[in-house]
Amino acid sequence: MNFTNFTEEIKAEIVNNFVGGRQNSLSALSAFIRTSGSLIIENGVYGFELSTESQLTAHFFAELIENCLGVAVDGFSSSSDAVSGKDKLTFTCVNGDTEELLKELGILNDDDGKLFLDFTIKSSLTDTEESRAAYVKGAFLGGGSCTIPDIDSRSHTGYHLEVVFRNKVTAQEFSSVLCSFDFLPKLVNRKDCAVVYFKSREAISDILSVMDAEVCLEKLDKIAEHRDEANNANRVNNCSVSNIDKAVTASAKQVYAIETISSTVGLQSLDEPLFSVAESRLADKNASMQELADRLNISKSCINHRMRKIIEIANSLSQD
Protein backbone atom coordinates (compact mmCIF):
# COMPACT_ATOMS: atom_id res chain seq x y z
CA MET A 1 0.00 0.00 0.00
CA ASN A 2 1.49 3.29 -1.09
CA PHE A 3 2.33 5.10 2.13
CA THR A 4 1.34 8.55 0.85
CA ASN A 5 -2.02 7.40 -0.52
CA PHE A 6 -3.09 5.53 2.59
CA THR A 7 -1.97 8.37 4.85
CA GLU A 8 -4.01 10.83 2.78
CA GLU A 9 -7.01 8.50 2.86
CA ILE A 10 -6.85 8.48 6.65
CA LYS A 11 -6.54 12.26 6.81
CA ALA A 12 -9.46 12.72 4.43
CA GLU A 13 -11.65 10.53 6.64
CA ILE A 14 -10.61 12.44 9.76
CA VAL A 15 -11.54 15.74 8.11
CA ASN A 16 -14.83 14.49 6.67
CA ASN A 17 -15.94 12.85 9.93
CA PHE A 18 -14.68 15.50 12.34
CA VAL A 19 -17.23 16.48 14.98
CA GLY A 20 -16.76 20.18 15.67
CA GLY A 21 -17.52 22.35 18.63
CA ARG A 22 -15.12 24.74 20.30
CA GLN A 23 -13.51 22.22 22.66
CA ASN A 24 -12.76 19.65 19.96
CA SER A 25 -11.57 22.38 17.61
CA LEU A 26 -9.15 23.75 20.20
CA SER A 27 -7.77 20.27 20.92
CA ALA A 28 -7.27 19.43 17.24
CA LEU A 29 -5.76 22.81 16.39
CA SER A 30 -3.35 22.74 19.33
CA ALA A 31 -2.06 19.31 18.24
CA PHE A 32 -1.83 20.45 14.62
CA ILE A 33 0.28 23.48 15.57
CA ARG A 34 2.55 21.25 17.68
CA THR A 35 3.27 19.10 14.64
CA SER A 36 3.00 21.43 11.65
CA GLY A 37 3.10 24.95 13.01
CA SER A 38 5.56 27.65 13.95
CA LEU A 39 5.20 30.53 16.39
CA ILE A 40 5.82 33.94 14.79
CA ILE A 41 5.88 37.56 15.95
CA GLU A 42 4.96 40.53 13.77
CA ASN A 43 5.11 44.06 15.14
CA GLY A 44 5.16 42.69 18.68
CA VAL A 45 2.06 40.54 18.08
CA TYR A 46 2.24 36.78 18.60
CA GLY A 47 0.76 34.55 15.95
CA PHE A 48 1.39 31.26 14.20
CA GLU A 49 2.10 29.83 10.78
CA LEU A 50 0.76 26.49 9.60
CA SER A 51 2.18 24.41 6.77
CA THR A 52 0.95 21.18 5.20
CA GLU A 53 1.23 19.22 1.96
CA SER A 54 -2.50 18.46 2.07
CA GLN A 55 -4.78 21.05 0.52
CA LEU A 56 -7.75 19.39 2.20
CA THR A 57 -6.11 19.65 5.62
CA ALA A 58 -5.05 23.27 5.06
CA HIS A 59 -8.55 24.41 4.18
CA PHE A 60 -10.06 22.33 6.99
CA PHE A 61 -8.01 24.11 9.64
CA ALA A 62 -8.43 27.50 8.00
CA GLU A 63 -12.20 27.11 8.14
CA LEU A 64 -12.02 25.74 11.69
CA ILE A 65 -9.98 28.74 12.85
CA GLU A 66 -12.26 31.28 11.21
CA ASN A 67 -15.71 29.74 11.62
CA CYS A 68 -15.41 27.94 14.95
CA LEU A 69 -12.78 29.96 16.77
CA GLY A 70 -13.50 33.36 15.22
CA VAL A 71 -9.92 34.25 14.30
CA ALA A 72 -9.01 35.71 10.92
CA VAL A 73 -6.68 33.73 8.66
CA ASP A 74 -4.21 35.54 6.44
CA GLY A 75 -3.71 34.57 2.81
CA PHE A 76 -2.38 31.21 1.61
CA SER A 77 0.97 30.76 -0.08
CA SER A 78 2.47 27.75 -1.83
CA SER A 79 6.08 26.62 -1.90
CA SER A 80 8.08 23.51 -2.77
CA ASP A 81 9.62 21.51 0.07
CA ALA A 82 13.37 21.20 -0.48
CA VAL A 83 13.52 17.69 1.00
CA SER A 84 10.42 15.97 -0.42
CA GLY A 85 10.05 18.11 -3.53
CA LYS A 86 6.32 18.33 -2.84
CA ASP A 87 4.28 21.51 -2.75
CA LYS A 88 3.31 22.87 0.65
CA LEU A 89 0.44 25.18 1.51
CA THR A 90 1.17 27.74 4.20
CA PHE A 91 -1.09 30.24 5.94
CA THR A 92 -0.60 32.56 8.89
CA CYS A 93 -2.64 34.00 11.72
CA VAL A 94 -1.17 37.15 13.26
CA ASN A 95 -3.66 39.65 14.62
CA GLY A 96 -5.13 40.98 17.82
CA ASP A 97 -6.90 37.67 18.55
CA THR A 98 -4.10 35.17 17.98
CA GLU A 99 -2.23 35.80 21.22
CA GLU A 100 -5.28 34.93 23.32
CA LEU A 101 -5.98 31.94 21.09
CA LEU A 102 -2.43 30.65 21.59
CA LYS A 103 -2.95 30.91 25.35
CA GLU A 104 -6.23 29.02 25.05
CA LEU A 105 -4.40 26.38 23.02
CA GLY A 106 -1.81 26.03 25.79
CA ILE A 107 1.04 26.96 23.46
CA LEU A 108 1.69 30.33 25.09
CA ASN A 109 1.64 30.72 28.85
CA ASP A 110 1.80 33.75 31.11
CA ASP A 111 4.13 34.11 34.08
CA ASP A 112 3.62 37.45 35.85
CA GLY A 113 2.89 39.17 32.58
CA LYS A 114 5.75 37.50 30.71
CA LEU A 115 4.75 35.19 27.88
CA PHE A 116 6.67 31.98 27.26
CA LEU A 117 6.38 28.96 24.99
CA ASP A 118 4.86 26.01 26.85
CA PHE A 119 5.62 22.52 25.46
CA THR A 120 3.25 20.66 27.79
CA ILE A 121 -0.27 19.76 26.69
CA LYS A 122 -2.88 21.89 28.42
CA SER A 123 -4.99 19.61 30.60
CA SER A 124 -8.31 21.14 29.56
CA LEU A 125 -7.63 20.09 25.97
CA THR A 126 -7.59 16.40 26.87
CA ASP A 127 -9.90 16.18 29.90
CA THR A 128 -12.59 14.13 28.12
CA GLU A 129 -12.38 11.10 25.85
CA GLU A 130 -13.84 13.10 22.98
CA SER A 131 -11.30 15.93 23.34
CA ARG A 132 -8.45 13.41 23.62
CA ALA A 133 -9.63 11.79 20.38
CA ALA A 134 -9.75 15.24 18.76
CA TYR A 135 -6.17 15.85 19.89
CA VAL A 136 -5.06 12.55 18.36
CA LYS A 137 -6.80 13.49 15.09
CA GLY A 138 -5.14 16.91 14.98
CA ALA A 139 -1.73 15.41 15.68
CA PHE A 140 -2.09 12.86 12.89
CA LEU A 141 -3.32 15.51 10.45
CA GLY A 142 -0.22 17.55 11.19
CA GLY A 143 2.56 15.01 11.65
CA GLY A 144 1.11 11.58 11.02
CA SER A 145 1.81 8.89 8.46
CA CYS A 146 0.90 5.24 8.11
CA THR A 147 2.33 2.42 6.01
CA ILE A 148 0.75 -0.97 5.50
CA PRO A 149 1.69 -3.84 3.15
CA ASP A 150 0.23 -4.16 -0.33
CA ILE A 151 -2.46 -6.80 -0.38
CA ASP A 152 -0.62 -8.87 -3.03
CA SER A 153 2.92 -7.81 -2.17
CA ARG A 154 5.58 -10.37 -1.30
CA SER A 155 7.80 -7.75 0.29
CA HIS A 156 8.47 -7.78 4.00
CA THR A 157 7.26 -4.23 4.54
CA GLY A 158 5.29 -4.27 7.76
CA TYR A 159 2.79 -2.08 9.55
CA HIS A 160 3.89 1.31 10.83
CA LEU A 161 2.02 4.37 12.11
CA GLU A 162 3.81 7.42 13.49
CA VAL A 163 3.28 11.02 14.54
CA VAL A 164 6.24 13.40 14.44
CA PHE A 165 6.56 16.21 16.99
CA ARG A 166 9.07 19.03 17.06
CA ASN A 167 9.59 18.73 20.81
CA LYS A 168 10.17 15.66 22.99
CA VAL A 169 8.20 17.04 25.94
CA THR A 170 5.05 17.32 23.82
CA ALA A 171 5.70 13.89 22.29
CA GLN A 172 5.96 12.34 25.75
CA GLU A 173 2.71 13.93 26.85
CA PHE A 174 1.05 12.82 23.62
CA SER A 175 2.16 9.29 24.46
CA SER A 176 0.32 9.65 27.77
CA VAL A 177 -2.80 10.75 25.90
CA LEU A 178 -2.55 7.58 23.80
CA CYS A 179 -2.05 5.50 26.96
CA SER A 180 -5.43 6.76 28.18
CA PHE A 181 -6.90 4.71 25.30
CA ASP A 182 -4.87 1.67 26.50
CA PHE A 183 -2.33 2.05 23.70
CA LEU A 184 1.35 1.41 24.34
CA PRO A 185 3.24 3.70 21.94
CA LYS A 186 6.98 3.83 21.44
CA LEU A 187 8.97 7.06 21.37
CA VAL A 188 12.25 7.70 19.57
CA ASN A 189 14.30 10.76 18.68
CA ARG A 190 14.85 11.35 14.96
CA LYS A 191 17.21 14.22 14.14
CA ASP A 192 15.59 17.30 15.67
CA CYS A 193 12.20 15.65 16.14
CA ALA A 194 10.51 13.18 18.47
CA VAL A 195 8.51 10.36 16.90
CA VAL A 196 5.66 8.48 18.57
CA TYR A 197 5.02 5.26 16.69
CA PHE A 198 3.38 1.82 16.54
CA LYS A 199 4.30 -1.29 14.57
CA SER A 200 1.42 -3.49 15.66
CA ARG A 201 -1.46 -4.00 13.24
CA GLU A 202 -3.84 -4.36 16.16
CA ALA A 203 -2.75 -1.04 17.68
CA ILE A 204 -3.01 0.73 14.32
CA SER A 205 -6.51 -0.68 13.89
CA ASP A 206 -7.52 0.68 17.28
CA ILE A 207 -6.08 4.12 16.53
CA LEU A 208 -7.91 4.29 13.20
CA SER A 209 -11.09 3.58 15.13
CA VAL A 210 -10.37 6.39 17.61
CA MET A 211 -9.77 8.75 14.67
CA ASP A 212 -13.11 7.71 13.07
CA ALA A 213 -11.32 6.39 9.97
CA GLU A 214 -13.62 3.39 9.61
CA VAL A 215 -13.23 2.94 5.84
CA CYS A 216 -9.44 2.81 6.20
CA LEU A 217 -9.87 0.41 9.10
CA GLU A 218 -11.90 -1.93 6.90
CA LYS A 219 -9.23 -1.74 4.21
CA LEU A 220 -6.53 -2.56 6.75
CA ASP A 221 -8.49 -5.52 8.08
CA LYS A 222 -9.02 -6.90 4.57
CA ILE A 223 -5.33 -6.66 3.77
CA ALA A 224 -4.39 -8.31 7.05
CA GLU A 225 -6.91 -11.12 6.47
CA HIS A 226 -5.65 -11.71 2.93
CA ARG A 227 -2.02 -11.78 4.04
CA ASP A 228 -2.80 -14.11 6.93
CA GLU A 229 -4.50 -16.50 4.54
CA ALA A 230 -1.58 -16.29 2.11
CA ASN A 231 0.96 -16.79 4.88
CA ASN A 232 -0.92 -19.79 6.22
CA ALA A 233 -1.14 -21.30 2.73
CA ASN A 234 2.56 -20.78 2.17
CA ARG A 235 3.40 -22.45 5.47
CA VAL A 236 1.27 -25.47 4.55
CA ASN A 237 2.87 -25.72 1.10
CA ASN A 238 6.45 -25.16 2.16
CA CYS A 239 6.70 -26.98 5.46
CA SER A 240 6.28 -30.59 6.39
CA VAL A 241 4.25 -31.47 9.46
CA SER A 242 7.39 -32.24 11.43
CA ASN A 243 8.97 -28.93 10.54
CA ILE A 244 5.81 -27.12 11.57
CA ASP A 245 5.83 -28.93 14.90
CA LYS A 246 9.46 -27.98 15.46
CA ALA A 247 8.80 -24.35 14.55
CA VAL A 248 5.81 -24.15 16.88
CA THR A 249 7.77 -25.70 19.73
CA ALA A 250 10.72 -23.37 19.15
CA SER A 251 8.46 -20.33 18.93
CA ALA A 252 6.68 -21.28 22.16
CA LYS A 253 10.04 -21.68 23.90
CA GLN A 254 11.19 -18.31 22.59
CA VAL A 255 7.98 -16.55 23.62
CA TYR A 256 8.17 -18.09 27.07
CA ALA A 257 11.75 -16.87 27.46
CA ILE A 258 10.86 -13.37 26.30
CA GLU A 259 7.85 -13.20 28.63
CA THR A 260 10.06 -14.40 31.51
CA ILE A 261 12.45 -11.51 30.90
CA SER A 262 9.55 -9.08 30.50
CA SER A 263 7.95 -10.11 33.80
CA THR A 264 11.22 -9.97 35.78
CA VAL A 265 13.75 -7.36 34.68
CA GLY A 266 11.77 -6.00 31.70
CA LEU A 267 12.58 -6.13 28.00
CA GLN A 268 14.15 -2.69 28.21
CA SER A 269 17.04 -4.33 30.05
CA LEU A 270 18.05 -6.04 26.80
CA ASP A 271 20.48 -4.35 24.45
CA GLU A 272 19.03 -3.04 21.19
CA PRO A 273 19.83 -6.12 18.98
CA LEU A 274 18.22 -8.50 21.48
CA PHE A 275 15.33 -6.14 22.16
CA SER A 276 14.48 -5.86 18.44
CA VAL A 277 14.42 -9.67 18.12
CA ALA A 278 12.24 -10.04 21.23
CA GLU A 279 9.88 -7.35 20.02
CA SER A 280 9.56 -8.95 16.58
CA ARG A 281 8.85 -12.39 18.04
CA LEU A 282 6.12 -11.06 20.35
CA ALA A 283 4.61 -9.13 17.43
CA ASP A 284 4.29 -12.36 15.40
CA LYS A 285 4.46 -15.55 17.43
CA ASN A 286 3.80 -17.73 14.38
CA ALA A 287 6.49 -16.31 12.10
CA SER A 288 9.38 -18.53 11.08
CA MET A 289 12.92 -17.57 12.02
CA GLN A 290 13.59 -16.77 8.36
CA GLU A 291 10.59 -14.43 8.26
CA LEU A 292 11.78 -12.64 11.38
CA ALA A 293 15.30 -12.40 9.98
CA ASP A 294 14.00 -10.89 6.74
CA ARG A 295 11.92 -8.31 8.61
CA LEU A 296 14.91 -7.30 10.70
CA ASN A 297 17.22 -7.36 7.67
CA ILE A 298 19.66 -9.77 9.32
CA SER A 299 20.75 -13.31 8.55
CA LYS A 300 18.97 -16.36 9.87
CA SER A 301 22.12 -17.45 11.72
CA CYS A 302 22.29 -14.04 13.37
CA ILE A 303 18.72 -14.19 14.62
CA ASN A 304 19.28 -17.77 15.86
CA HIS A 305 22.31 -16.56 17.83
CA ARG A 306 20.37 -13.67 19.37
CA MET A 307 17.42 -15.90 20.24
CA ARG A 308 19.72 -18.39 21.98
CA LYS A 309 21.15 -15.51 23.99
CA ILE A 310 17.63 -14.43 25.01
CA ILE A 311 16.82 -17.98 26.14
CA GLU A 312 20.10 -18.11 28.13
CA ILE A 313 19.19 -14.85 29.89
CA ALA A 314 15.70 -16.15 30.70
CA ASN A 315 17.13 -19.41 32.06
CA SER A 316 19.54 -17.53 34.32
CA LEU A 317 16.67 -15.39 35.64
CA SER A 318 14.58 -18.49 36.32
CA GLN A 319 17.39 -19.96 38.38
CA ASP A 320 17.92 -16.81 40.49
Side-chain angles (χ1 to χ4, degrees), residues 63-94:
E63 292 179 4
L64 182 149
I65 292 168
E66 289 192 328
N67 298 336
C68 186
L69 303 178
V71 176
V73 172
D74 298 332
F76 284 84
S77 64
S78 178
S79 62
S80 180
D81 184 84
V83 178
S84 67
K86 298 179 180 178
D87 290 336
K88 278 196 169 186
L89 279 175
T90 300
F91 63 93
T92 59
C93 295
V94 189

Side-chain angles (χ1 to χ4, degrees), residues 125-143:
L125 298 178
T126 56
D127 58 358
T128 67
E129 183 172 324
E130 187 176 33
S131 63
R132 288 193 292 275
Y135 199 96
V136 174
K137 295 172 186 177
F140 190 85
L141 287 173

Side-chain angles (χ1 to χ4, degrees), residues 3-197:
F3 129 76
T4 302
N5 289 347
F6 192 62
T7 296
E8 289 306 313
E9 287 177 24
I10 297 171
K11 292 183 178 182
E13 266 205 274
I14 292 173
V15 169
N16 293 332
N17 297 333
F18 189 80
V19 177
R22 186 172 184 82
Q23 185 65 31
N24 288 349
S25 298
L26 288 171
S27 297
L29 177 60
S30 180
F32 189 73
I33 293 176
R34 300 286 194 185
T35 52
S36 289
S38 301
L39 200 65
I40 57 177
I41 304 177
E42 290 184 3
N43 300 320
V45 177
Y46 281 92
F48 55 90
E49 179 181 83
L50 298 177
S51 181
T52 175
E53 294 175 359
S54 168
Q55 183 174 351
L56 178 66
T57 300
H59 287 288
F60 167 72
F61 276 103
E63 292 179 4
L64 182 149
I65 292 168
E66 289 192 328
N67 298 336
C68 186
L69 303 178
V71 176
V73 172
D74 298 332
F76 284 84
S77 64
S78 178
S79 62
S80 180
D81 184 84
V83 178
S84 67
K86 298 179 180 178
D87 290 336
K88 278 196 169 186
L89 279 175
T90 300
F91 63 93
T92 59
C93 295
V94 189
N95 53 60
D97 298 319
T98 51
E99 188 172 296
E100 287 304 313
L101 176 59
L102 286 168
K103 290 179 184 178
E104 200 170 2
L105 294 171
I107 294 171
L108 280 182
N109 214 327
D110 193 320
D111 183 12
D112 292 331
K114 295 182 179 180
L115 292 176
F116 65 93
L117 185 59
D118 192 343
F119 295 109
T120 63
I121 297 176
K122 192 175 182 180
S123 59
S124 62
L125 298 178
T126 56
D127 58 358
T128 67
E129 183 172 324
E130 187 176 33
S131 63
R132 288 193 292 275
Y135 199 96
V136 174
K137 295 172 186 177
F140 190 85
L141 287 173
S145 63
C146 183
T147 58
I148 59 176
D150 286 325
I151 193 166
D152 294 318
S153 173
R154 294 185 179 181
S155 72
H156 297 287
T157 300
Y159 300 91
H160 184 91
L161 183 145
E162 70 177 36
V163 179
V164 181
F165 286 85
R166 297 181 177 179
N167 181 271
K168 188 174 183 179
V169 172
T170 313
Q172 289 172 330
E173 296 215 344
F174 179 69
S175 295
S176 296
V177 172
L178 293 174
C179 287
S180 72
F181 291 102
D182 295 327
F183 300 143
L184 295 175
K186 300 185 186 304
L187 174 62
V188 66
N189 293 325
R190 183 188 296 162
K191 296 183 180 180
D192 296 328
C193 300
V195 183
V196 179
Y197 70 96

